[in-house]
Amino acid sequence: MFGCPESDEYGWSTGYINLTLFENSRNFIWNDDDLFTFEPHILGPYTQHAMQMNFCVMKSNITILDDDGDEDDKVNRTWPPGNYCIYRTGEECPFGFNEGSLNIRGYNYSLGGNLPHMLFDSSSNFALVYCCREDGKVDQSVHLPSEFPFFLYLGPSTEKCQEIDKMDWKLDEFYLPYDNNSWLDELLPNFLSHPTHTSHIGLPLCYYQPIRKRECMYKTDDGASYNGQLNVTKYGNPCDLWTNVTLDFTSNTQWIGEFENNFCRKTRLDPPSCYINSTRSTCNIPECEKDSLSVFGKGRSYNAAKHDEQNMPSYVLDGLIRTGPSYVSERPSSKPWYLLNLEEYIEVHAIVIHRQKVWYPLNNRYVGTYVSKHRWDFLTYGAYRCDDNRNPWKHKIFRFQCKRPIIGQYVSVKNYDITDPGHEEGFLHYFEIDEIQVLGRSTMCGRRLGLITGDVYDYQIESSSHKDHDHQFTFGRLFRPENGWCAKPFDNVPWFMVDLIVPLKIQGVELQGIKAGQNVKLISSFNILYGIDRNNLATYEDPKGTIK
């Protein structure tokens, strides 16, 4: 959920395949846990009847970091020996790998972007093609990128994930409806070594994340979000293990924080520190490099989990910090959330949460932060994570620093603390936020072009026909009180066209249905045509050759 293993300069590209079960099919199960505590690492979105598989693709072992022709800027990389699997991307597997395939049947599918090699034999059947190797010891650490989290498939002959330098791993399984093991062909990830649900198969995914943490602190929150591994005081004395510190906040469950091993952490006092013989001692943690980021959020639109009238969600974006009331979710509420609409594409670097009330039951002990280009992606695991799920503990300011800048329009915050609604029902924690500040840079993209605001005038809009006076093309705008646009019943090729006057880069099209009483009219499918000559429009394709 954090993107590809390395930055874009290394030549990574992305693609996806959307899988939709037929209406009479069973639902996805996804995982081996209950649906309440399920918090996946793999990017979606996925629902009970559909999912999106996302891919990071690199089609060359030679990466050119600079295009000036200098041989020193070329990196020639090979896959190390080991016991793991990857997707095939070229005409054949890399040296040292053997090929296998998993046939996927019974889905409607659509494709986009750059994809690994797949085999298609009908509108509902295709095969994922794997490259696997088992020529090394799984416990012998190998060198692969270690800057960002990523996935490999479990090797063909192992129950453990391949060890990788500077990375921790966790074995995840993602389940797909599946009926016949004979559809497994040649050398594959170790599918059959793990329990499967009835008529499902678990894809064995090894999730890797860097061991190394950020070794600096931000003054924004006075080091509250520091989770590095410094474990000596500013005088060079080794810190005691937190488990040996006999203070209330290290043992009481209402005070649990990110107190790992003997690493320096910010407690109720500033700055980050540790304890020696129950005596607090300050740690010398350098300040992170200052960046020239703008603050976004104030006055923007939002959505939020249920609340009471005294704690409105609008308070989160009023620009007032520790002045006046804050937003508090209703109770009980499992996984309460808050969604901020930035109303344009922002390159998000960090999300800062301000709070007023940090005592039980207003605990935020397992908080996720997400950035996406679509409003509800965070509810279906289709949004990119900014930071790991973190524990803000009793801190009134906490900075979620994104692992890498993420471009998106929507920022969401979700509290996962006590996610099982069957456990002490009625005693789930409240979710309280005083203010959200998004730190980043404007991309000057993603802004609405004027069909809502009226900056696109009626004379710029045309249509093939209109049903009647109440459904004219001038009503084809979002959030208008009129009935919207509708073509004549016998218009066999209906179209709706907007003249933007000057050439622009279009990043998306948003549609809204028509609701009249109990009746709702929605568009089931459409094509997008574009161009600078109305008599010579091209159909949008993604990937090239596939009409979107």
Side-chain angles (χ1 to χ4, degrees):
M1 298 183 79
F2 293 104
C4 292
E6 297 172 303
S7 53
D8 294 342
E9 65 180 351
Y10 284 88
W12 292 93
S13 59
T14 59
Y16 64 86
I17 179 168
N18 281 313
L19 304 177
T20 304
L21 290 169
F22 295 114
E23 291 186 5
N24 60 350
S25 301
R26 67 184 68 85
N27 290 339
F28 281 116
I29 293 180
W30 302 335
N31 73 308
D32 213 9
D33 300 321
D34 66 273
L35 294 178
F36 296 111
T37 57
F38 179 43
E39 174 55 14
H41 296 105
I42 188 170
L43 182 68
Y46 27 88
T47 65
Q48 289 188 336
H49 234 62
M51 69 167 290
Q52 178 172 300
M53 298 181 71
N54 300 279
F55 306 94
C56 289
V57 176
M58 181 183 287
K59 295 190 175 181
S60 173
N61 284 338
I62 299 177
T63 299
I64 301 176
L65 300 180
D66 198 339
D67 58 4
D68 61 4
D70 190 341
E71 289 294 322
D72 292 337
D73 293 326
K74 294 183 179 180
V75 178
N76 191 349
R77 299 180 294 183
T78 58
W79 291 94
N83 203 316
Y84 58 94
C85 296
I86 59 176
Y87 289 112
R88 177 183 145 191
T89 58
E91 295 183 358
E92 59 184 13
C93 289
F95 178 78
F97 288 85
N98 291 305
E99 183 177 308
S101 62
L102 168 66
N103 290 287
I104 305 293
R105 303 187 180 185
Y107 294 88
N108 289 316
Y109 60 80
S110 61
L111 315 172
N114 292 319
L115 296 169
H117 183 72
M118 296 182 183
L119 302 174
F120 299 94
D121 62 9
S122 75
S123 61
S124 61
N125 298 340
F126 69 96
L128 297 173
V129 182
Y130 294 95
C131 296
C132 295
R133 67 190 307 159
E134 47 184 350
D135 56 349
K137 296 180 179 179
V138 71
D139 293 326
Q140 184 173 336
S141 189
V142 301
H143 180 72
L144 285 173
S146 58
E147 184 179 3
F148 299 112
F150 64 86
F151 281 97
L152 293 176
Y153 273 96
L154 186 68
S157 55
T158 177
E159 294 277 344
K160 298 172 57 180
C161 294
Q162 175 67 50
E163 294 291 341
I164 296 178
D165 292 341
K166 303 177 183 178
M167 301 290 274
D168 281 330
W169 60 264
K170 178 181 182 297
L171 180 59
D172 283 349
E173 283 187 304
F174 193 91
Y175 286 84
L176 291 175
Y178 193 79
D179 291 320
N180 193 334
N181 287 335
S182 66
W183 296 345
L184 304 173
D185 187 36
E186 301 297 336
L187 193 64
L188 287 164
N190 195 1
F191 295 118
L192 300 181
S193 69
H194 297 276
T196 56
H197 291 284
T198 303
S199 300
H200 278 69
I201 187 170
L203 304 183
L205 295 160
C206 294
Y207 173 66
Y208 293 91
Q209 56 182 338
I211 295 174
R212 183 176 176 82
K213 305 293 185 180
R214 167 174 45 88
E215 290 299 341
C216 61
M217 56 170 273
Y218 286 98
K219 291 296 292 182
T220 310
D221 60 3
D222 292 321
S225 58
Y226 171 76
N227 65 343
Q229 297 176 344
L230 183 68
N231 60 358
V232 295
T233 70
K234 64 181 180 180
Y235 303 108
N237 298 318
C239 301
D240 289 345
L241 292 170
W242 287 105
T243 53
N244 294 336
V245 178
T246 56
L247 295 174
D248 182 58
F249 64 83
T250 63
S251 57
N252 190 315
T253 57
Q254 294 185 16
W255 288 83
I256 294 174
E258 295 179 336
F259 299 108
E260 309 160 78
N261 297 319
N262 63 339
F263 302 141
C264 299
R265 293 291 183 264
K266 184 178 184 296
T267 60
R268 288 165 288 181
L269 304 172
D270 298 328
S273 58
C274 65
Y275 282 77
I276 300 176
N277 297 324
S278 296
T279 300
R280 177 177 172 271
S281 185
T282 301
C283 299
N284 189 21
I285 300 172
E287 185 177 344
C288 296
E289 183 178 346
K290 293 183 179 179
D291 39 33
S292 55
L293 300 175
S294 301
V295 179
F296 299 89
K298 180 181 177 181
R300 301 297 171 93
S301 56
Y302 58 85
N303 298 92
K306 289 183 178 180
H307 58 91
D308 59 53
E309 294 182 0
Q310 283 72 43
N311 297 278
M312 304 290 288
S314 58
Y315 298 150
V316 174
L317 305 173
D318 59 8
L320 302 176
I321 298 175
R322 300 186 190 177
T323 303
S326 57
Y327 161 72
V328 180
S329 66
E330 272 191 359
R331 186 185 187 196
S333 179
S334 178
K335 300 182 182 179
W337 51 270
Y338 192 95
L339 174 71
L340 162 61
N341 182 359
L342 295 168
E343 299 175 9
E344 62 175 303
Y345 286 174
I346 300 297
E347 183 185 83
V348 178
H349 288 245
I351 301 167
V352 181
I353 305 296
H354 296 263
R355 301 159 62 201
Q356 290 190 42
K357 307 168 185 178
V358 296
W359 298 92
Y360 178 84
L362 290 148
N363 289 5
N364 296 354
R365 299 191 299 194
Y366 193 47
V367 175
T369 47
Y370 305 88
V371 181
S372 63
K373 292 183 178 179
H374 304 105
R375 185 186 299 268
W376 303 116
D377 273 355
F378 79 101
L379 292 177
T380 55
Y381 306 106
Y384 283 96
R385 283 188 196 169
C386 167
D387 196 0
D388 292 316
N389 289 342
R390 298 293 305 276
N391 185 341
W393 192 50
K394 302 293 181 184
H395 303 304
K396 292 190 174 182
I397 307 175
F398 198 89
R399 176 170 174 150
F400 294 85
Q401 184 67 28
C402 297
K403 292 184 181 293
R404 57 175 15 134
I406 308 171
I407 295 176
Q409 178 177 336
Y410 298 94
V411 168
S412 48
V413 182
K414 200 171 183 181
N415 186 15
Y416 291 93
D417 200 15
I418 303 184
T419 57
D420 184 357
H423 176 73
E424 295 186 357
E425 187 172 353
F427 291 90
L428 300 172
H429 293 167
Y430 293 100
F431 189 33
E432 187 262 359
I433 303 176
D434 184 32
E435 193 79 13
I436 290 180
Q437 294 176 318
V438 176
L439 307 183
R441 297 187 177 95
S442 174
T443 65
M444 304 301 292
C445 296
R447 298 176 177 178
R448 299 188 186 277
L449 296 178
L451 279 171
I452 296 176
T453 62
D455 292 327
V456 170
Y457 296 101
D458 286 348
Y459 74 82
Q460 295 173 246
I461 305 173
E462 297 179 54
S463 68
S464 57
S465 65
H466 58 270
K467 179 181 178 182
D468 51 42
H469 180 75
D470 294 328
H471 296 86
Q472 300 182 57
F473 62 83
T474 54
F475 296 160
R477 301 172 181 266
L478 291 181
F479 313 132
R480 292 291 295 269
E482 296 89 353
N483 291 326
W485 169 73
C486 191
K488 288 182 177 180
F490 300 105
D491 187 344
N492 294 324
V493 188
W495 52 263
F496 184 91
M497 184 167 65
V498 179
D499 183 354
L500 298 172
I501 307 299
V502 296
L504 293 172
K505 182 177 180 180
I506 305 300
Q507 294 174 295
V509 176
E510 190 172 359
L511 302 181
Q512 182 181 17
I514 299 174
K515 184 175 182 181
Q518 298 298 317
N519 297 320
V520 177
K521 298 178 181 179
L522 301 173
I523 295 177
S524 59
S525 63
F526 63 95
N527 298 128
I528 297 175
L529 286 79
Y530 65 97
I532 57 175
D533 181 355
R534 62 180 297 150
N535 297 315
N536 187 26
L537 299 178
T539 303
Y540 175 64
E541 299 176 346
D542 184 18
K544 188 172 179 60
T546 301
I547 295 177
K548 192 66 176 175

